[in-house]
Amino acid sequence: MTRSATAQEAALLAAQLQPSKASHVDTLQHPTGKVTPAVSDGPNKSLSSPPASKRRKTTARAANPSEVPELPHNLGPAFTLSPRKNDRKAYIKSEKIEELASTLQNTVDRVRTTTPGTPEKGKKSKKTNQYSLTPGTTPFPDWTRPTPEECEEVNRLLSTVHGEIVAPTTIPEPSLTVTGCGEVPSVLDALIRTLLSGATSGNNSAMAFNGLVQKFGILEEGIGKGSVNWEAIRQASLKDVFEAIKRGGLADVKSKKIKAILDMVYQENQERRDVLVKGSLEAPPDLLQKPDSGKQYEIACADQNFLSLNHLHSLATEDAMGELIKYPGIGPKTAACVLLFCLQRPCFAVDTHIFRICKWLNWVPPDKATEITAFSHLEVRIPNHLKYSLHQLFIRHGKSCPRCRAITGQSSAGWEKGCVIDHLVTRTGKRKERPGGTDFPQDARSPNGRKRRP
């Protein structure tokens, strides 16, 4: 709506609200100086009422003086204009029309630009916290566990069984046959490798990653020499990517996510290159602070179509987390692994094994916590110097301990060997029973603890 159109609309609406029943045509002064005829009962045929026989019968309702007339479309209350005393004509001052027009126009503009779910004009929509993370604060402020002393004790006990674990000072060279948990120099490599390792075994994820290497190869020269040819994968058809990783399982879902991630990374790389080449005062802070060598490296990567997320190395941990979880299929656990293993930041990634053991240790509220809220809580409560080792130790223990595996019980093989943290945990959830148990007889279960089919 333009301002003039809004003013006309306001004038007509105000005239219709007039209680006066003048027999002549009143005039309304438009802000521009034009005179507009108002609705009346006069002889003007174009404005006359329809015959009584064609009028729809309505039930008259007494006017409530306390009610305020509303404008249509929830635009707020209308102006109530009272006729001047001893004067049958009611004129609207031009400044009143202008004020009403301005109010309506501002309301329309605000609705257009700030409708929920759409970005304001001139601003980019950015997913900053789609998982309701609470960086720096815990979602369970009244839950004071674990204490630093408890973390030290559990780390010491598990180290006696699984060995002492120390975070590496340098990132090892990437393997072309094993995905790992993102412990590689390239951030994009780490992200895709960790995505492939999700919801499957290490052997399956290794087969999927090796399928990509075999089908699309590695870069033989240029900036990314030795890296997986992610640009070839980006340009390949979805079917080819699916065929390359299908041996690892969940190929239908993961191939789509990989393609979408690579498209996003390519677009971002090109946008950052354009900013560096053309110059812009609205450039991301990390670009403005880069040394000239770093700027030239990013430009060269984009010119050679070498897909890269290595600029995340220069971001703060919270900002890097926000950048990672915006990609499809990347949740807090995957992003935290990239932060911990690739970016070498203290970050306590929570997977299914860690979540289970932390609940048994009573480190999180067992009935309230989810893997995401547990991550936010433990990120605050666990000392930074123990995050790497406890992450690794919990996963090893959760996979190997006969008493701390997912579905286990007194009938499990190796149960009699005990558990080094047995005195600290309270195990809950599905359990195997002794042979002859009343709830879940052993003869009704398969070796993995699930019920056998009839």
Side-chain angles (χ1 to χ4, degrees):
M1 299 173 66
T2 63
R3 186 172 295 277
S4 60
T6 305
Q8 291 178 359
E9 186 78 8
L12 291 175
L13 182 60
Q16 292 172 5
L17 294 175
Q18 288 295 335
S20 175
K21 294 184 178 180
S23 60
H24 56 276
V25 178
D26 293 337
T27 58
L28 301 176
Q29 184 176 355
H30 191 276
T32 58
K34 296 181 181 180
V35 176
T36 305
V39 178
S40 75
D41 296 326
N44 191 336
K45 295 182 180 180
S46 63
L47 299 176
S48 61
S49 302
S53 60
K54 294 185 179 181
R55 295 177 188 170
R56 178 179 295 178
K57 293 183 179 181
T58 58
T59 303
R61 184 171 63 90
N64 186 348
S66 64
E67 289 185 0
V68 178
E70 294 284 331
L71 294 174
H73 309 298
N74 297 321
L75 293 178
F79 285 93
T80 303
L81 303 174
S82 301
R84 289 176 295 182
K85 190 174 181 180
N86 300 325
D87 190 356
R88 297 183 63 186
K89 291 184 179 182
Y91 294 92
I92 305 175
K93 294 182 179 181
S94 61
E95 56 267 24
K96 282 288 186 181
I97 296 179
E98 182 66 26
E99 180 182 352
L100 177 58
S102 178
T103 302
L104 286 175
Q105 186 63 47
N106 290 339
T107 302
V108 171
D109 291 342
R110 187 167 61 253
V111 170
R112 283 177 174 174
T113 58
T114 60
T115 301
T118 59
E120 292 187 20
K121 187 176 180 180
K123 294 185 179 180
K124 292 184 178 180
S125 176
K126 190 174 182 180
K127 296 180 180 179
T128 56
N129 202 6
Q130 59 175 319
Y131 291 97
S132 300
L133 299 178
T134 56
T137 60
T138 167
F140 310 113
D142 297 330
W143 200 267
T144 58
R145 303 185 64 188
T147 64
E149 294 75 20
E150 288 177 314
C151 296
E152 293 281 1
E153 177 66 6
V154 171
N155 189 80
R156 183 187 66 80
L157 291 171
L158 293 179
S159 296
T160 62
V161 178
H162 306 289
E164 186 177 359
I165 294 178
V166 180
T169 55
T170 58
I171 301 298
E173 287 300 314
S175 168
L176 294 179
T177 58
V178 179
T179 52
C181 291
E183 207 159 11
V184 292
S186 167
V187 182
L188 181 58
D189 270 30
L191 187 66
I192 302 297
R193 288 169 185 260
T194 310
L195 174 63
L196 288 173
S197 67
T200 190
S201 66
N203 185 53
N204 284 346
S205 63
M207 287 193 295
F209 182 74
N210 190 50
L212 291 176
V213 173
Q214 295 299 320
K215 188 171 186 65
F216 300 102
I218 61 174
L219 296 175
E220 301 293 344
E221 57 184 13
I223 291 179
K225 183 178 180 180
S227 173
V228 178
N229 193 345
W230 297 116
E231 174 62 9
I233 298 173
R234 185 185 75 85
Q235 294 187 9
S237 67
L238 181 61
K239 180 180 178 181
D240 286 342
V241 178
F242 171 85
E243 290 293 330
I245 67 173
K246 67 179 181 181
R247 290 187 300 165
L250 301 176
D252 182 47
V253 174
K254 292 183 178 180
S255 58
K256 293 176 182 177
K257 290 176 179 177
I258 290 172
K259 288 278 290 177
I261 290 172
L262 296 179
D263 283 338
M264 288 179 65
V265 172
Y266 173 81
Q267 184 65 31
E268 290 165 6
N269 287 174
Q270 296 301 318
E271 289 175 355
R272 289 174 67 88
R273 177 210 177 270
D274 291 344
V275 168
L276 289 172
V277 172
K278 300 176 182 178
S280 173
L281 296 178
E282 298 181 357
D286 68 297
L287 270 182
L288 296 175
Q289 298 169 5
K290 271 183 177 293
D292 290 340
S293 59
K295 294 178 180 178
Q296 293 303 319
Y297 172 79
E298 283 212 37
I299 293 173
C301 286
D303 287 343
Q304 297 181 26
N305 289 336
F306 172 63
L307 304 186
S308 172
L309 286 177
N310 289 339
H311 61 274
L312 298 186
H313 279 286
S314 61
L315 298 184
T317 299
E318 181 182 336
D319 295 334
M321 170 67 78
E323 286 295 307
L324 289 169
I325 62 176
K326 75 183 181 184
Y327 295 109
I330 305 301
K333 181 256 180 180
T334 301
C337 284
V338 175
L339 286 167
L340 179 66
F341 296 113
C342 176
L343 300 181
Q344 294 186 301
R345 311 291 176 82
C347 194
F348 192 72
V350 175
D351 76 342
T352 182
H353 299 292
I354 295 173
F355 183 51
R356 179 175 68 253
I357 295 176
C358 286
K359 284 194 298 182
W360 290 353
L361 285 167
N362 214 28
W363 284 9
V364 294
D367 299 328
K368 295 181 180 179
T370 63
E371 287 191 21
I372 293 176
T373 56
F375 164 73
S376 293
H377 177 73
L378 297 170
E379 184 71 0
V380 173
R381 301 296 306 177
I382 295 177
N384 282 342
H385 71 280
L386 294 176
K387 288 178 179 177
Y388 185 94
S389 59
L390 277 176
H391 172 86
Q392 296 278 45
L393 289 169
F394 277 144
I395 291 178
R396 294 185 187 183
H397 194 70
K399 289 181 178 180
S400 62
C401 177
R403 296 193 177 193
C404 293
R405 288 196 294 262
I407 300 179
T408 186
Q410 295 182 7
S411 61
S412 299
W415 180 273
E416 68 282 355
K417 295 180 181 179
C419 171
V420 70
I421 58 173
D422 211 34
H423 61 293
L424 299 176
V425 300
T426 301
R427 297 180 178 89
T428 57
K430 292 183 178 180
R431 311 258 53 83
K432 282 187 181 180
E433 297 293 329
R434 286 182 178 275
T438 55
D439 293 332
F440 299 103
Q442 179 64 15
D443 58 359
R445 290 184 170 273
S446 61
N448 64 6
R450 292 184 172 86
K451 285 186 177 181
R452 290 193 179 101
R453 292 183 179 179

